[in-house]
Amino acid sequence: MSAPATLAAPRQGRRPAVAPVLVLAVLAGVIAWLWASGMAAEILTYSDDISYLAMQHLELVAWAGGLAILTAVPVGIVLSRPAFRSISEAVMQVFNIGSTVPTLAILALSMTLLGIGTVPAVFGLWAATLLPIVRNTYAGLHAVPAHLVEAATGMGMTPRQVLWRVELPNALFVMFGGIRTALAICVGSAPLVFLIGAGGLGELIFTGIALDELPMMMAGAIPTALIAVAVDFVFGQIQYHLVPRGINPLR
């Protein structure tokens, strides 16, 4: 009988995802209050602006988040290799800059280097999004039980096969946790890029603050929160179905 393609860690118990439900409950309460107070009608007067700026917001998040995933996952894999583990924490501090430096300061530096508009906005959001993905990719691969790697090596697998067929499947759940955290940071930071001329829902939020118009501010804030919940939900579903059974504690 042939050996299985993937070696899996022992299955864990199911852990329900409570946070998205709580966030949706809070948002539902806020929307109900707005409707009861009559402010919902004022917010809906900005419906055309909300639709247009929400698409800009999603485009910025898609570019920054996608580039962060394409950059950070390979870096995390490289840092997890035995040859690089001695310098991994030092290299990680480079990516930590995006988290320790305030996002607004990163955007200001990006504007200084790249001007105003979409390019510096995407660069700034990309820099602020990298660390959780790199850290979780490294941690997930580093936490794969050594006996699984040894068993795969004993079966005759090459280091590349061990990585793709044993280590990555067992680390995938942790890696997705970093991606979901990074995208939540990206969605929440994206309103700031309005300050460097990149548009997005920050236009309604900051203009509403400047004009002391609460309905305009809420017209930007509520869709931003809904986008964050929606993005997390979508990637949570991808995580649930993509991570193999026996490795995924939610299945």
Side-chain angles (χ1 to χ4, degrees):
M1 184 172 62
S2 61
T6 301
L7 296 174
R11 186 174 178 179
Q12 304 177 35
R14 182 183 178 91
R15 290 182 295 182
V18 179
V21 177
L22 292 177
V23 172
L24 285 174
V26 172
L27 286 174
V30 171
I31 292 172
W33 173 76
L34 292 173
W35 193 270
S37 66
M39 193 181 298
E42 297 181 60
I43 293 175
L44 291 176
T45 61
Y46 299 101
S47 58
D48 291 339
D49 294 326
I50 293 172
S51 300
Y52 177 74
L53 295 173
M55 291 304 299
Q56 283 189 338
H57 200 99
L58 283 170
E59 185 177 353
L60 290 166
V61 170
W63 274 107
L67 290 173
I69 293 170
L70 292 175
T71 304
V73 170
V75 171
I77 292 173
V78 170
L79 292 178
S80 71
R81 301 303 85 195
F84 293 93
R85 283 184 182 175
S86 60
I87 63 169
S88 59
E89 285 301 324
V91 175
M92 207 80 71
Q93 296 309 310
V94 176
F95 296 95
N96 197 34
I97 294 174
S99 297
T100 55
V101 177
T103 305
L104 195 58
I106 294 176
L107 293 174
L109 293 172
S110 301
M111 182 179 65
T112 303
L113 297 173
L114 302 172
I116 62 173
T118 302
V119 173
V122 170
F123 177 81
L125 292 174
W126 168 82
T129 305
L130 286 172
L131 181 64
I133 305 176
V134 175
R135 174 69 70 180
N136 276 45
T137 300
Y138 172 80
L141 290 169
H142 190 63
V144 174
H147 67 269
L148 296 181
V149 177
E150 293 173 2
T153 304
M155 291 165 57
M157 290 187 183
T158 65
R160 179 174 297 181
Q161 289 175 323
V162 172
L163 172 64
W164 283 99
R165 301 177 67 179
V166 178
E167 293 183 273
L168 282 176
N170 280 281
L172 204 54
F173 187 84
V174 179
M175 292 167 62
F176 262 104
I179 291 172
R180 291 172 66 179
T181 300
L183 291 178
I185 293 171
C186 191
V187 174
S189 301
L192 294 172
V193 303
F194 162 70
L195 300 175
I196 60 172
L201 290 165
E203 181 172 335
L204 290 172
I205 295 173
F206 286 101
T207 305
I209 292 172
L211 298 177
D212 196 21
E213 287 285 344
L214 182 59
M216 181 183 291
M217 184 181 67
M218 297 299 289
I222 292 175
T224 300
L226 291 174
I227 289 173
V229 172
V231 169
D232 185 73
F233 174 79
V234 169
F235 275 84
Q237 292 301 303
I238 295 173
Q239 178 186 35
Y240 179 83
H241 293 289
L242 189 61
V243 178
R245 188 182 299 274
I247 300 170
N248 189 342
L250 300 178
R251 298 178 66 178

